[in-house]
Amino acid sequence: MAAPSKATVVLKAVKKIAVQFCPFESNVRSTREFLAMVGSERARSTNMNCEVISVVRHDQSAPVVDITYLDGDKLVLKGAKLTSSEMLNAFQSLCTAKDLQAKIAAKK
Amino acid sequence: MAATLCVKVLPKQGWLPLIQTVRHGSKAVTRHRRPMHILKQKLMAVTEYIPPARVIPPGAYPPQSKQVQEDSAFMVVMKRNLKNVFQHSKMVAVVQNNASNAEDMMMLKHRLHKHGISVKFFPNQVVRSFIKDGLFSNMAPLFIGPTVLFVSEEPKVKEMLSTLRASPQMTLLGACIDNALLSAQGVVSYSKLPSVSVVQGELVSGLTMLTSHTASLLQRHPAHLSALLQQYVKQQSSEGAPKAEEAT
C-alpha cells in the first residue's frame, strides 16, 4: 500500500470534517485510519478553525466521511470499500486544487 | 606479505598456481579464495548438493502445520496485567484518541482520577490475542488504531462522559459494563438510567399497587365498602341476565 504523497495533511481550505462509523462493523478500518491521520496534531495545526467531528453509531450503517469546504463544496467519501490511502489521496488532490484556485483568486 | 615476497601471478579461481612457493605460502585461512588441490576440487564437484525434485511448487498449497508464534516474555507480562484489569474492573471503556498533547492527556487523567477511573494503554495486538478466546471476544473489532482503555471499579459513566465531552479528540467507541457489552449510545442511555435503589422502589410499588388499593378500601368507612359490594352484585346480576337471554 503506497503511502500518501506528503506525511501531513493540509486542511487550509476545509471548513468541517464529519466522520461517521459503526465500530463493530468489519469495514471501518480505513475510515478510522483516515480519521486518525486527519485529526492528528500536525493536520489540525495547519488550520485551527477546521472542526473534526466524529460520530459513533451502532446501526450497521456504512462508514461515511463528509467534508465541507470553505467555498461551500462538499466531498463525500464512503469508506466501506476504500483503503485509507485512497481516501487520503482523493482528499488531498481536491484540497490542493482548491488551494490553487484560492491562490489564483487572491492574486487577482 | 606472502604476495610481496614470492612473485607469482595469481591465477583464476580453480586453477593451480604455476609457481608453488614452499617457504612463504599462504596460510589455510586467507582473504582471497585459496586455490584448492585438484583432488579436493574433484571431491567438491562430485559431492555437490542436489535438492530433491519438488512435485508441487513451493507456495502452491498452504502449509500443513500452522506456525504458532509463542508470546514473548513482555507480552506475557502485559497479558497478566490485562487479565487483572478485566477481573478487577466493572467498567472498561474503549476510546479512540486521534491526537492529544501530553498536557491534554495529563488534564484528562487528572480529571478522571478524581472519580477513580484510570487510563490504560495496551498494544492492540496483545489485547486482540488476549480477548479472542474469552468472554469479551466481541470487543475485538473495537481495537483498531490509537485506542485507550478507561478502566474503573465503579461504573461512573456520567462523569466519564462529561470529561470526554470536554476533549474533542476522544471518541467513545464502546464499553463493557458489568460484563455487558454496550455501544456508545448504550453508554449514554446507561448514564440516564436512575440508580438501582430508585428502580427497586418503583418495582416494589408497582407490585404492591393492588394490595395497597385493597388495604385503603378496607380502611375507609364500612358503609362505603358495603355500597361498593352491592353495586358489584347488581352488575354481576345484570351481566348474568343478558347472558341467560342470549343463551335462550
Side-chain angles (χ1 to χ4, degrees):
Chain A
M1 202 162 73
S5 52
K6 279 183 202 167
T8 54
V9 186
V10 182
L11 297 171
K12 286 270 159 61
V14 179
K15 190 172 156 192
K16 182 174 157 186
I17 300 179
V19 183
Q20 180 203 307
F21 60 93
C22 167
F24 291 95
E25 292 284 311
S26 48
N27 51 4
V28 293
R29 178 180 270 267
S30 54
T31 318
R32 280 179 74 169
E33 284 171 10
F34 181 78
L35 174 66
M37 278 192 266
V38 157
S40 65
E41 277 294 301
R42 291 178 74 180
R44 277 187 301 134
S45 62
T46 58
N47 183 358
M48 295 309 283
N49 298 330
C50 171
E51 311 163 352
V52 180
I53 299 168
S54 56
V55 179
V56 174
R57 294 274 166 82
H58 193 45
D59 45 6
Q60 285 159 350
S61 58
V64 158
V65 180
D66 199 352
I67 302 166
T68 319
Y69 288 95
L70 286 169
D71 47 3
D73 285 350
K74 280 202 165 195
L75 173 66
V76 173
L77 294 163
K78 298 196 183 166
K81 307 269 183 184
L82 292 171
T83 61
S84 57
S85 56
E86 282 174 13
M87 291 163 84
L88 257 180
N89 280 337
F91 174 59
Q92 268 183 329
S93 58
L94 245 183
C95 273
T96 43
K98 298 257 174 202
D99 264 344
L100 281 169
Q101 275 179 1
K103 276 182 194 167
I104 291 166
K107 273 183 194 169
K108 284 179 193 170
Chain B
M1 197 172 104
T4 52
L5 286 178
C6 9
V7 177
K8 66 176 176 192
V9 174
L10 257 164
K12 290 179 219 155
Q13 195 196 15
W15 289 67
L16 281 174
L18 296 167
I19 304 168
Q20 277 182 339
T21 48
V22 177
R23 272 193 67 203
H24 297 286
S26 52
K27 304 201 170 167
V29 180
T30 51
R31 289 181 189 183
H32 62 89
R33 288 266 160 120
R34 205 167 128 239
M36 286 188 213
H37 197 273
I38 184 64
L39 290 176
K40 188 175 177 191
Q41 265 180 280
K42 285 182 186 176
L43 190 69
M44 298 291 277
V46 164
T47 55
E48 255 175 15
Y49 173 64
I50 302 168
R54 281 181 189 273
V55 177
I56 306 160
Y61 293 101
Q64 274 172 337
S65 55
K66 283 197 182 174
Q67 307 258 338
V68 177
Q69 213 174 16
E70 247 188 35
D71 300 330
S72 60
F74 188 44
M75 265 179 86
V76 167
V77 169
M78 279 199 281
K79 280 196 177 174
R80 217 185 302 149
N81 285 343
L82 253 181
K83 200 166 139 189
N84 282 339
V85 155
F86 272 107
Q87 263 176 353
H88 292 304
S89 60
K90 280 199 188 162
M91 175 177 90
V92 176
V94 182
V95 171
Q96 174 171 345
N97 57 331
N98 300 318
S100 2
N101 321 337
E103 53 172 308
D104 279 345
M105 276 310 285
M106 217 168 65
M107 290 297 296
L108 191 77
K109 277 190 187 177
H110 178 66
R111 268 184 230 148
L112 288 172
H113 193 70
K114 276 194 240 175
H115 303 299
I117 306 175
S118 59
V119 179
K120 300 265 181 196
F121 294 89
F122 286 105
N124 285 343
Q125 227 182 7
V126 170
V127 176
R128 274 171 162 239
S129 74
F130 173 77
I131 261 180
K132 68 178 191 291
D133 37 34
L135 277 172
F136 314 100
S137 47
N138 288 326
M139 274 174 88
L142 287 179
F143 291 97
I144 293 178
T147 37
V148 192
L149 278 177
F150 288 178
V151 154
S152 84
E153 306 241 341
E154 302 293 317
K156 297 209 164 167
V157 184
K158 269 189 226 167
E159 294 90 358
M160 191 183 75
L161 281 175
S162 55
T163 333
L164 280 175
R165 239 179 282 148
S167 57
Q169 306 98 328
M170 300 275 196
T171 331
L172 178 67
L173 298 169
C176 176
I177 303 179
D178 284 336
N179 288 339
L181 192 55
L182 298 169
S183 68
Q185 287 140 343
V187 170
V188 169
S189 46
Y190 181 89
S191 67
K192 291 186 189 153
L193 279 178
S195 68
V196 179
S197 46
V198 169
V199 170
Q200 278 175 346
E202 276 181 25
L203 186 69
V204 163
S205 63
L207 285 172
T208 55
M209 195 179 70
L210 280 172
T211 43
S212 61
H213 199 62
T214 327
S216 65
L217 263 180
L218 289 170
Q219 275 166 3
R220 281 193 187 179
H221 199 75
H224 194 250
L225 182 61
S226 54
L228 273 174
L229 284 170
Q230 275 179 349
Q231 185 75 23
Y232 183 64
V233 163
K234 272 189 207 168
Q235 265 186 339
Q236 286 284 310
S237 53
S238 60
E239 275 171 26
K243 272 190 192 164
E245 282 174 13
E246 281 171 18
T248 55

